[in-house]
Amino acid sequence: MKKHLNTLYVTQDDSLLSKDGETICISRHGTRLLRLPLHNLEAIQTFGWNIAATPQLLAACAERGICLSQCSPQGKLHYRICGFTPGNVLLRRQQYRLADSEEGALSTARLIVTAKILNARKLLQRHRRDHSPAGSPEEQALRRAEQDLARAARLSRRAENSQSLLGIEGAAAESYFGSFGHCLQRSDISFATRNRRPPRDPVNALLSFAYSLLAHDCRSALEAVGLDPAVGLYHRDRPGRPSLALDLMEELRAPLADRLTLTLLNRRQLNPDDFSRDDNGSISLSDNARRCVLTHWHERKNDSILHPYLNERITIGMIPHIQARLLAHHIRGSLDAYPPLIWH
């Protein structure tokens, strides 16, 4: 269990949340684990299949405007319990106003795109340092891509409008994926460029699947804090597209999805026979391959990092929920700017 900002996260199964006076008590198998004043909280999020809350606590939370969300251990939102409060309506109204403001949306979009580019650069740097022999063609190509990304990050910070920012991000992505294949440490699987709808090779199929998992987690996180995942600040509105979830996942693509893809392939946990070609030419993962990806995705969520803004250790699985909460604080006006996660 950790408390980040004003949110209490409960991650241990068999926990019981109850009310004791003006406090919330968390116990497990009859042993009290934690006790906190209710007036310090604005939200409670549980992650697990067997975490219960007493009716007395639910009533107290409803009276105080504290929202309780229940998510699966993987972060999928199942339900939110809120009282009769205008908080979510006001938050979404602020979100819509910010999205309709060219300068307001652009200021946040710049930060998101800059973080995405810097995190992509960090992935290439790490691979070059750990696996590329000095002076080799791969090492030189990665260095050139890192320089391109550093330049793109500087440009994105001062992009004058959304179209300019989109062009900078597109050029950075082209440079990044143009060198991504050099991070593969095997000859039986190659990568030339990013393609999708449908993916045409195993690497692109794996990237698309990992991105879908990340998008799902980001959408669940946004819904858990009361934001509308369909109204983005960088990605424009489109029917059926979770634009804000796509915004949130941009900074997390390289350190979570791309890194997982490289790990599974370079460790030969996935091989060419784990993929099949469909009649339309698209590449699909086998059932065993999907199970492998899901297993390692969930294992990765249990690893911990030091969050650079909060300056405390959190599990990787909490990152979308923490970033969604920080974004909500910025939209409300309690943070001057959204602090994206820049990997170190």
Side-chain angles (χ1 to χ4, degrees), residues 106 109-118 120 148-149 151-157 159 161-178 194 196 211 234-235 241 246-247 249-251 253-254 258:
L106 180 62
R110 288 193 196 105
L111 295 170
I112 290 171
V113 172
T114 300
K116 174 186 180 177
I117 295 171
L118 291 176
D148 291 344
L149 293 175
R151 184 164 48 251
R154 291 192 296 270
L155 292 173
S156 65
R157 293 189 186 103
N161 52 59
S162 59
Q163 287 301 313
S164 174
L165 184 61
L166 188 65
I168 294 167
E169 189 268 337
E174 183 177 355
S175 179
Y176 170 66
F177 283 118
R194 177 76 177 121
R196 55 199 177 102
Y211 289 157
Y234 175 52
H235 292 85
R241 181 167 75 172
L246 297 179
D247 289 354
M249 70 181 282
E250 290 290 12
E251 66 207 63
R253 287 178 184 265
D258 298 359

Side-chain angles (χ1 to χ4, degrees), residues 152-283:
R154 291 192 296 270
L155 292 173
S156 65
R157 293 189 186 103
R158 54 179 186 270
E160 296 182 353
N161 52 59
S162 59
Q163 287 301 313
S164 174
L165 184 61
L166 188 65
I168 294 167
E169 189 268 337
E174 183 177 355
S175 179
Y176 170 66
F177 283 118
S179 60
F180 189 77
H182 295 300
C183 297
L184 288 170
Q185 299 171 271
R186 54 192 303 175
S187 59
D188 56 342
I189 292 180
S190 61
F191 177 86
T193 187
R194 177 76 177 121
N195 54 67
R196 55 199 177 102
R197 300 194 187 107
R200 300 290 180 176
D201 57 75
V203 180
N204 275 294
L206 192 51
L207 284 171
S208 293
F209 186 60
Y211 289 157
S212 70
L213 296 175
L214 180 58
H216 176 272
D217 287 355
C218 289
R219 182 169 190 164
S220 294
L222 291 167
E223 290 178 348
V225 301
L227 290 169
D228 187 341
V231 179
L233 303 175
Y234 175 52
H235 292 85
R236 295 295 90 192
D237 296 350
R238 183 183 300 171
R241 181 167 75 172
S243 296
L244 192 63
L246 297 179
D247 289 354
L248 188 65
M249 70 181 282
E250 290 290 12
E251 66 207 63
L252 306 178
R253 287 178 184 265
L256 298 187
D258 298 359
R259 185 175 175 184
L260 176 70
T261 296
L262 290 175
T263 297
L264 293 175
L265 293 175
N266 287 339
R267 291 180 179 176
R268 297 184 180 272
Q269 291 166 303
L270 290 177
N271 295 294
D273 57 3
D274 289 308
F275 302 86
S276 61
R277 185 175 297 276
D278 300 332
D279 293 338
N280 64 354
S282 67
I283 300 296

Side-chain angles (χ1 to χ4, degrees), residues 80-154:
R80 302 175 69 235
I81 300 175
C82 299
F84 293 100
T85 170
N88 288 345
V89 172
L90 293 180
L91 175 61
R92 292 196 177 202
R93 283 183 178 272
Q94 284 296 106
Q95 177 189 351
Y96 302 149
R97 292 189 188 103
L98 184 62
D100 287 339
S101 166
E102 173 67 22
E103 182 54 37
L106 180 62
S107 64
T108 301
R110 288 193 196 105
L111 295 170
I112 290 171
V113 172
T114 300
K116 174 186 180 177
I117 295 171
L118 291 176
N119 287 339
R121 182 173 182 266
K122 175 61 69 174
L123 184 147
L124 298 183
Q125 276 185 319
R126 176 174 297 182
H127 183 86
R128 175 180 57 79
R129 183 187 64 230
D130 295 343
H131 303 290
S132 298
S136 66
E138 292 80 7
E139 194 261 355
Q140 294 174 11
L142 290 172
R143 280 191 182 276
R144 287 193 297 270
E146 291 167 31
Q147 293 169 358
D148 291 344
L149 293 175
R151 184 164 48 251
R154 291 192 296 270

